[in-house]
Amino acid sequence: QVQLVESGGGLVKAGDSLGLSCVVTGRPSSEYAMGWFRQAPGKEREFVAGISRGGESTYYADFVKGRFTVSRDNDLNVVYLQQNNLKPEDTAVYYCATKYSGSYFYSGAYDYWGPGTQVTVSS
Protein backbone atom coordinates (compact mmCIF):
# COMPACT_ATOMS: atom_id res chain seq x y z
CA GLN A 1 0.00 0.00 0.00
CA VAL A 2 1.41 3.35 -1.04
CA GLN A 3 1.17 6.20 1.43
CA LEU A 4 1.91 9.86 0.80
CA VAL A 5 2.48 12.58 3.39
CA GLU A 6 2.90 16.23 2.52
CA SER A 7 4.66 18.80 4.67
CA GLY A 8 6.07 22.31 4.48
CA GLY A 9 2.91 24.39 4.34
CA GLY A 10 2.36 27.45 6.47
CA LEU A 11 1.28 31.07 6.74
CA VAL A 12 3.37 33.50 4.69
CA LYS A 13 3.09 36.95 3.16
CA ALA A 14 2.67 37.75 -0.51
CA GLY A 15 6.02 37.50 -2.28
CA ASP A 16 7.43 34.93 0.15
CA SER A 17 8.52 31.39 -0.67
CA LEU A 18 7.70 27.93 0.65
CA GLY A 19 9.08 24.48 -0.05
CA LEU A 20 6.60 21.62 0.08
CA SER A 21 7.66 17.98 0.40
CA CYS A 22 5.81 14.75 -0.29
CA VAL A 23 7.25 11.58 1.22
CA VAL A 24 6.30 8.32 -0.49
CA THR A 25 6.28 5.08 1.51
CA GLY A 26 5.20 1.53 0.77
CA ARG A 27 6.64 1.43 -2.75
CA PRO A 28 9.65 3.10 -4.40
CA SER A 29 8.68 6.56 -5.61
CA SER A 30 10.53 5.83 -8.86
CA GLU A 31 7.60 3.59 -9.86
CA TYR A 32 5.25 6.57 -10.12
CA ALA A 33 4.81 9.74 -12.06
CA MET A 34 3.62 12.27 -9.52
CA GLY A 35 1.44 15.33 -9.38
CA TRP A 36 0.66 18.26 -7.12
CA PHE A 37 -2.88 19.58 -6.87
CA ARG A 38 -4.53 22.23 -4.74
CA GLN A 39 -7.99 22.97 -3.46
CA ALA A 40 -9.18 26.30 -2.13
CA PRO A 41 -12.34 26.65 -0.04
CA GLY A 42 -15.43 26.41 -2.20
CA LYS A 43 -13.44 25.49 -5.30
CA GLU A 44 -12.66 22.28 -7.13
CA ARG A 45 -9.32 20.57 -6.83
CA GLU A 46 -6.99 21.79 -9.58
CA PHE A 47 -3.74 20.64 -11.12
CA VAL A 48 -0.60 22.54 -10.12
CA ALA A 49 2.43 20.56 -11.34
CA GLY A 50 3.51 17.10 -12.44
CA ILE A 51 6.76 15.21 -12.85
CA SER A 52 7.68 12.03 -14.67
CA ARG A 53 9.03 8.97 -12.87
CA GLY A 54 12.68 9.85 -13.45
CA GLY A 55 12.16 13.60 -13.23
CA GLU A 56 13.06 14.26 -16.86
CA SER A 57 9.72 15.84 -17.73
CA THR A 58 7.75 18.41 -15.77
CA TYR A 59 4.36 19.99 -16.32
CA TYR A 60 2.79 23.12 -14.87
CA ALA A 61 -0.51 24.90 -14.73
CA ASP A 62 -0.31 28.26 -16.46
CA PHE A 63 -0.94 30.15 -13.23
CA VAL A 64 2.25 28.82 -11.58
CA LYS A 65 4.68 28.83 -14.50
CA GLY A 66 7.82 30.74 -13.60
CA ARG A 67 6.96 30.72 -9.88
CA PHE A 68 6.72 27.05 -8.84
CA THR A 69 9.20 24.25 -9.50
CA VAL A 70 8.52 20.53 -9.10
CA SER A 71 11.40 18.13 -8.53
CA ARG A 72 12.06 14.74 -6.98
CA ASP A 73 14.72 12.66 -5.27
CA ASN A 74 13.95 9.00 -5.84
CA ASP A 75 16.78 7.92 -3.58
CA LEU A 76 14.93 9.61 -0.71
CA ASN A 77 11.44 8.83 -2.09
CA VAL A 78 10.51 12.50 -1.90
CA VAL A 79 8.83 14.86 -4.36
CA TYR A 80 9.15 18.60 -3.88
CA LEU A 81 7.24 21.70 -4.86
CA GLN A 82 9.20 24.93 -4.50
CA GLN A 83 6.87 27.90 -4.41
CA ASN A 84 8.27 31.36 -5.03
CA ASN A 85 6.59 34.76 -5.24
CA LEU A 86 3.47 33.44 -3.55
CA LYS A 87 0.20 35.29 -4.05
CA PRO A 88 -2.95 35.40 -1.91
CA GLU A 89 -4.74 33.41 -4.63
CA ASP A 90 -2.30 30.54 -4.01
CA THR A 91 -3.99 29.96 -0.66
CA ALA A 92 -5.22 26.35 -0.65
CA VAL A 93 -4.61 22.87 0.66
CA TYR A 94 -1.89 21.29 -1.46
CA TYR A 95 -1.94 17.56 -2.23
CA CYS A 96 0.52 15.20 -3.85
CA ALA A 97 -0.64 12.11 -5.70
CA THR A 98 0.65 9.15 -7.69
CA LYS A 99 -0.37 8.99 -11.35
CA TYR A 100 -1.41 5.60 -12.75
CA SER A 101 -2.76 6.49 -16.20
CA GLY A 102 -3.75 9.35 -18.45
CA SER A 103 -3.01 13.05 -18.52
CA TYR A 104 -1.07 14.77 -15.76
CA PHE A 105 -3.63 17.55 -15.76
CA TYR A 106 -6.66 15.57 -14.59
CA SER A 107 -7.21 14.34 -11.04
CA GLY A 108 -8.87 11.19 -12.35
CA ALA A 109 -5.48 9.99 -13.57
CA TYR A 110 -4.21 9.70 -10.00
CA ASP A 111 -4.86 6.97 -7.48
CA TYR A 112 -3.05 7.51 -4.18
CA TRP A 113 -3.33 10.89 -2.44
CA GLY A 114 -1.81 12.43 0.65
CA PRO A 115 -3.87 14.23 3.32
CA GLY A 116 -2.63 17.63 2.17
CA THR A 117 -0.78 20.59 3.66
CA GLN A 118 -2.28 24.05 4.11
CA VAL A 119 -0.67 27.06 2.43
CA THR A 120 -2.01 30.45 3.42
CA VAL A 121 -0.73 33.63 1.78
CA SER A 122 -1.66 36.98 3.28
CA SER A 123 -1.65 40.21 1.29
Side-chain angles (χ1 to χ4, degrees):
Q1 181 78 7
V2 176
Q3 291 188 320
L4 308 175
V5 177
E6 305 91 341
S7 63
L11 172 62
V12 297
K13 296 181 180 179
D16 285 351
S17 298
L18 280 175
L20 306 186
S21 299
C22 171
V23 176
V24 181
T25 59
R27 298 291 301 174
S29 63
S30 58
E31 293 185 359
Y32 301 97
M34 300 288 295
W36 285 95
F37 285 74
R38 71 185 187 186
Q39 188 166 19
K43 295 187 177 181
E44 293 188 353
R45 191 170 297 189
E46 62 182 355
F47 172 78
V48 174
I51 187 167
S52 60
R53 286 186 296 175
E56 300 88 353
S57 299
T58 56
Y59 308 85
Y60 297 95
D62 286 343
F63 54 78
V64 301
K65 283 182 180 177
R67 299 189 299 124
F68 291 8
T69 303
V70 60
S71 62
R72 66 191 302 161
D73 186 333
N74 286 336
D75 290 335
L76 298 178
N77 291 312
V78 181
V79 181
Y80 304 99
L81 184 68
Q82 179 63 37
Q83 304 175 298
N84 296 328
N85 190 23
L86 282 160
K87 303 176 181 181
E89 53 263 43
D90 294 319
T91 295
V93 177
Y94 284 74
Y95 302 89
C96 66
T98 56
K99 190 175 82 69
Y100 72 96
S101 179
S103 170
Y104 279 89
F105 294 85
Y106 296 103
S107 60
Y110 297 79
D111 45 4
Y112 295 103
W113 294 80
T117 185
Q118 175 72 47
V119 172
T120 304
V121 185
S122 64
S123 57

